[in-house]
Amino acid sequence: MPAHSLADALVPWYRRSARDLPWRHENFSAWGTLVSEFMLQQTPVARVIPLLETWLKRWPTPTDLADAPAAEAVTHWANLGYPRRALWLHRAAVQIRDHHGGVVPRDVDDLLALTGIGDYTARAVAVFAYGDRHPVVDTNTRRVLARALNGTAHPGPAHRRDLEQMEAELPESAAEAALMNAAAMELGQVVCTARSPRCGECPVRDMCAWVAAGSPATPDTRKKQAAYEGSDRQARGRVLRALRDAAPEPVPHDAILIDWPDAGQRDRAFLSLLADGLIESDGDVFFLPR
DNA sequence: CAAGCGTGGCT
DNA sequence: TAGCCAAGCTT
């Protein structure tokens, strides 16, 4: 019998072929889910897995992390990238300790109120950790919906409309809906990829609007990333790495970014990191936030 | 709403 | 090789 909905095709495919990932294990905690979702924001799965293990061993509960200095969170974020996430995760842990009795909230609005949590992460926690029924929409899901339902090669800019479109595809039961959410993300990551989709392996191919239209090249509205070499981001990364490597010892201003060619950019790096709260200073030395 | 924010693997 | 890209969020 042919599948009549996206879920009819995707959920069985997911049950059959989902990868074995730590956060999909039966007894994975809500805190573990929250930490993994922070780490997975713009960082590939393969780089997250080893560090996630380190973090959860060190800080098994939100209160464990909240009780530690923010500097330790930033230090142990290591080279995951976007270190503001480490700071935000620490702040979220403090909020959970102080306002939620040390228990990761289940309510989407409560989750949205935590630092560093937006539409995606809030619903991911509510759905994957607590089994509630909400649409979970990440960049993979947006691409799957764009192709399978809208017939375009790329999704448009992220929009609240995406949540409503995914909501309409969810099965009635919360458990099946959770599988559907995970399945759409999984398909986008391993089959319906951005550059070279493997349509020959796709469980949704026979109902895909984009394939039916002849897989046309449609406009890609995503903004291109600025070059990293010589960028402000690279300068910030160098500063933070120097402080991580020395932590908890402070580092003199003159010992950081010594050979950086652009003095103005060097100043900008320190100032923006201070503004972000990722570094602090005392006289002419810098250190990670206490 | 567009811009800014890290890092490393893959093509 | 050099660019492209990755489970987003905040301002």
Side-chain angles (χ1 to χ4, degrees):
Chain A
M1 174 166 133
H4 289 296
S5 71
L6 216 48
D8 286 340
L10 277 182
V11 171
W13 168 81
Y14 181 79
R15 288 186 189 280
R16 187 161 71 237
S17 55
R19 292 165 299 167
D20 177 29
L21 300 172
W23 42 90
R24 291 175 178 171
H25 289 181
E26 192 69 27
N27 295 321
F28 206 67
S29 66
W31 171 239
T33 300
L34 181 58
V35 174
S36 73
E37 294 298 348
F38 264 85
M39 291 184 168
L40 288 163
Q41 292 168 3
Q42 299 285 279
T43 299
V45 166
R47 291 177 55 203
V48 164
I49 290 176
L51 212 53
L52 175 64
E53 201 171 326
T54 302
W55 264 62
L56 292 179
K57 199 168 293 178
R58 188 178 191 91
W59 299 299
T61 71
T63 299
D64 291 322
L65 178 60
D67 288 346
E72 284 191 27
V74 174
T75 298
H76 289 276
W77 199 252
N79 62 346
L80 265 195
Y82 290 146
R84 290 189 293 194
R85 291 180 293 165
L87 202 55
W88 291 339
L89 179 50
H90 182 267
R91 288 178 188 165
V94 169
Q95 292 165 334
I96 292 170
R97 181 195 62 192
D98 294 347
H99 304 311
H100 298 281
V103 178
V104 174
R106 176 170 185 160
D107 181 78
V108 169
D109 288 328
D110 288 341
L111 287 160
L112 285 171
L114 301 176
T115 308
I117 292 193
D119 282 332
Y120 165 76
T121 304
R123 288 171 179 77
V125 169
V127 170
F128 300 135
Y130 291 115
D132 291 338
R133 188 178 179 283
H134 304 282
V136 180
V137 177
D138 76 336
T139 186
N140 292 302
T141 295
R142 291 184 350 94
R143 186 172 53 253
V144 167
L145 295 178
R147 289 179 181 162
L149 300 182
N150 307 339
T152 61
H154 306 284
H159 195 276
R160 181 149 204 93
R161 179 68 194 230
D162 303 332
L163 284 177
E164 295 166 13
Q165 187 172 25
M166 186 59 178
E167 160 78 37
E169 299 302 319
L170 294 183
E172 284 304 313
S173 94
E176 292 280 313
L179 289 176
M180 174 58 183
N181 281 309
M185 293 167 64
E186 181 85 350
L187 187 79
Q189 194 170 138
V190 306
V191 175
C192 193
T193 57
R195 268 196 289 187
S196 308
R198 311 154 84 136
C199 298
E201 306 171 21
C202 184
V204 178
R205 177 171 192 160
D206 61 1
M207 66 176 79
C208 178
W210 185 55
V211 166
S215 305
T218 65
D220 184 352
T221 60
R222 290 172 302 174
K223 57 199 169 206
K224 287 192 179 96
Q225 273 182 22
Y228 184 61
E229 192 65 28
S231 66
D232 285 12
R233 291 156 91 160
Q234 186 182 36
R236 286 168 52 104
R238 291 278 183 86
V239 172
L240 211 54
R241 185 171 65 193
L243 296 187
R244 275 202 316 262
D245 291 348
E249 293 303 313
V251 181
H253 176 270
D254 292 345
I256 308 174
L257 238 41
I258 301 172
D259 55 351
W260 197 262
D262 184 334
Q265 193 175 41
R266 185 170 181 268
D267 291 340
R268 273 206 305 281
F270 284 107
L271 287 174
S272 67
L273 286 167
L274 285 165
D276 286 346
L278 271 168
I279 68 174
E280 296 176 358
S281 68
D282 182 6
D284 66 342
V285 299
F286 289 86
F287 43 86
L288 298 175
R290 311 262 172 223

